Amino acid sequence: MMGRAYDSGSISSFLMAEEDHILGRLMIEDSFRTEDIQKNAWRAEIQVLKEQLASFPDGEIAFEFMIPRMGHRVDVVLIIQGIIFLLEFKVGDDTYAKSTKDQVMDYALDLKYFHEASRDRTIVPIIVPTEAVDQANTLALMEDGIAQVLCCNRHNIGDVLRQILSQMHAAPLPMDAWLDARYAPTPTIIEAAQALYRAHSVRDISRNDAGAENLTVTTAAINQIIDECKVRHKKAICFITGVPGAGKTLAGLNIANARHQFNEDEHAVFLSGNGPLVAVLQEALARDRVATHNVTKEQARRETKSFIQVIHKFRDEALSSSQPPVEKVAIFDEAQRAWDADALMKFMKRKKGVADFQQSEPEFLISVMDRHADWAVIVCLIGGGQEINTGEAGIAEWLYALREQYPDWEIHLSDRMTDSEYVGSSDIQRLLGDRAYRVVSSLHLGVSLRSFRSERLADFVKALLDEDAAAARELYAALYLNYPIVLTRDLARAKAWVRNKVRGTERPGMLASSKAKRLRSVGIWVNVQRDPVAWFLNDPANADASCFLEVPATEFEVQGLEIDYGLLAWDADLRYCDGGFDYFDCRGARWMHVNKEQGQRYLKNAYRVLLTRARQGLVIFVPEGDLDDETRRPEYYDGTYEYLKSLGLREI
């Protein structure tokens, strides 16, 4: 792509060029003020490479290749005999640091997954702490064509390149074609939020053509509705639906970030009842802001909290004043999880001392935005089958409030709002009565972006939980090579599988249902206090991080967020027996059957959330059970294991 690298060309031209001329080109392309430390590092790299590449005049070289999704640049890319070499220099360093190995491996993985011209190529990542002692290197290629990281110093780069090239070569790959190839990433929601906050567009950070187009069209549709409301002095509510991982939260963040910075009269806020999601996003943005700008951590936190907020704080502020909020645009993430009137009444009485509160959360939130005299827009982001907690009203409560209380609000619905996973056994006409509404097909996000190795994961999970064994078997066979899902009854083996899969800074994590109380017998405590910020963001060496595979995250911590590889511990709360799933809650000495349809739906949705959290692969661990323990009888687990195995899941 144009401008992707600061400088590129043949190695022969590089060898012939003056050192200051090369350095000058790099400095001209640098959008930041080049500090002396960077200038000296580039000069040292040029000097080393002029010496070490003298034997490879037929190759090509590029300096400072941009990895947009990660916000970093690869120091040097070499393409020689069709092989891609990534060199990460640490000028003056004398140790082969793990952090540097992880860094260059992340670059290799990013190119392999998301860069079309690299997908079918061998990629060799190399770290170059210039003053380190020699270390023996052995070429070890992994199954996807990425080599394990090699270690060089300033004196032996040429020798290592010769060693590699004596063992392999590939079809020619011109550097110009490589630079121009499509780079189409799939960021995590954390990476996406950081990229949007740095003013990247959705297209910059979305890998799937259809998904990028879908997100762009959806964002444009919402922006058009907002602009029309401003001009016509109207109020409108929009309902965006989407399959799991389709980018609903990303679309909401994109709208909030863009409108938040629009003008003084038009503030926007991204609101979520998902406390862990908000905490992780706020902290991730603040850390990124500190790393990329000259601001304090507290200042960065204040900035991020101004447009990403927990919905309950927004609600509490509105309770303390009858004035309209500063925001004209409010985006409610996971709007189906808003509280019904009974749940909110009990909360307000118990926590806020308000004895006579009579509104559901949707009704109250609409009333808050209705305080604006001229215009306002509410955007509801809705995931089907995502309600996981008692008191969550689903989408019906929003529609009921609009029907009964707010006749002047215009209603814009996704064309999928009629599906049962959004409105249950009811229908739009019954919920809205004679209210007029407009159906907008572009308000549905139909392509999963989360699972870049397979967009069929959501379909497989749905078939699995719906007990559609034939469809699940067919889907599993199609997705296994690109998205491995395996099965075991050995927890140690499950952990080993995950650890063997992880490379670079890819993030693994253990997952379990909040009702999985008998996993405690195998050392998995679901009710332990955990910090979602530490679990998702802390360094892998930190014992509170997900990477330790010790503390599981439940559906409440991971909904809306992602890890790379997951270990799902499946307890007897959702068990397959007598030809179907059944639902239980462990209370003391025994499992009690969950009879209420709502409770059953919450439990199934909890596993739906857990099964769709991993971006690259999943191992499911089902305990053996214990004949001497009434709460862990083998038959509570055997049926689930056999059902999963019958779908084709491979045992390890």
Side-chain angles (χ1 to χ4, degrees), residues 4-11 14-15 22 26 38 41-53 56 59-67 72-80 83-91 100 103-105 107-108 111 118 122-128 130 150 152 157-158 161 175 178-179:
R4 180 62 55 76
Y6 281 8
D7 190 32
S8 64
S10 67
I11 291 177
F14 165 75
L15 295 171
I22 300 169
L26 296 178
Q38 178 62 76
W42 278 336
R43 188 180 295 278
E45 291 173 21
I46 293 166
Q47 292 170 349
V48 168
L49 290 169
K50 275 183 168 290
E51 176 184 320
Q52 293 296 310
L53 298 181
F56 309 97
E60 294 185 276
I61 186 170
F63 285 90
E64 299 293 331
F65 176 80
M66 169 87 125
I67 304 282
H72 296 293
R73 291 183 176 273
V74 185
D75 286 343
V76 176
V77 178
L78 302 174
I79 300 180
I80 307 174
I83 308 299
I84 301 169
F85 297 90
L86 309 179
L87 277 62
E88 186 62 26
F89 278 82
K90 297 299 176 185
V91 174
T100 311
Q103 181 182 357
V104 75
M105 177 56 77
Y107 296 157
L111 291 171
S118 302
T122 298
I123 302 177
V124 182
I126 301 174
I127 64 170
V128 189
T130 55
L150 302 179
C152 294
I157 297 171
L161 293 178
M175 179 66 78
W178 187 81
L179 291 172

Side-chain angles (χ1 to χ4, degrees), residues 247-266:
K248 296 180 294 296
T249 301
L250 177 56
L253 287 169
N254 190 34
I255 296 162
N257 190 44
R259 308 304 298 206
H260 181 72
Q261 302 176 25
F262 204 77
N263 60 48
E264 291 185 1
D265 185 49
E266 184 185 321

Side-chain angles (χ1 to χ4, degrees), residues 162-235:
R162 276 186 288 275
Q163 175 188 342
I164 302 305
L165 294 169
S166 69
Q167 300 177 55
M168 64 172 61
H169 66 277
L173 176 59
M175 179 66 78
D176 286 347
W178 187 81
L179 291 172
D180 286 340
R182 192 170 73 99
Y183 175 82
T186 300
T188 66
I189 190 60
I190 294 170
E191 292 167 336
Q194 290 171 333
L196 290 173
Y197 204 49
R198 297 187 213 117
H200 285 280
S201 72
V202 166
R203 287 188 176 278
D204 290 335
I205 58 175
S206 180
R207 72 168 268 276
N208 186 292
D209 276 343
E213 183 65 26
N214 204 180
L215 278 169
T216 303
V217 170
T218 299
T219 302
I222 295 294
N223 282 328
Q224 182 178 349
I225 292 168
I226 294 172
D227 292 337
E228 289 174 355
C229 286
K230 288 173 63 177
V231 171
R232 296 166 50 229
H233 300 287
K234 300 293 289 184
K235 295 169 185 173

Side-chain angles (χ1 to χ4, degrees), residues 610-635:
L610 297 170
L611 284 162
T612 55
R613 288 312 95 188
R615 287 157 48 88
Q616 299 189 49
L618 179 71
V619 56
I620 299 174
F621 160 64
V622 182
E624 293 276 4
D626 184 349
L627 282 170
D628 296 325
D629 183 345
E630 281 298 317
T631 65
R632 297 177 55 240
R633 296 186 65 82
E635 58 263 32

Side-chain angles (χ1 to χ4, degrees), residues 151 204 454 532 643:
C151 299
D204 290 335
S454 173
Y643 171 65

Side-chain angles (χ1 to χ4, degrees), residues 395-404 411 413 417-418 420 423-437:
I395 202 60
E397 200 69 41
W398 290 90
L399 301 180
Y400 177 78
L402 290 165
R403 184 185 77 192
E404 298 295 320
I411 303 170
L413 303 178
M417 283 283 289
T418 57
S420 61
V423 294
S425 58
S426 190
D427 61 69
I428 295 295
Q429 205 61 57
R430 188 187 310 167
L431 292 168
L432 282 176
D434 59 359
R435 283 295 310 274
Y437 60 88

Side-chain angles (χ1 to χ4, degrees), residues 355-376:
D356 57 349
F357 198 89
Q358 299 296 323
Q359 294 175 299
S360 69
E361 196 164 37
E363 184 180 356
F364 178 68
L365 293 170
I366 297 172
S367 75
V368 171
M369 296 302 290
D370 193 51
R371 295 173 186 175
H372 287 291
D374 48 0
W375 70 275

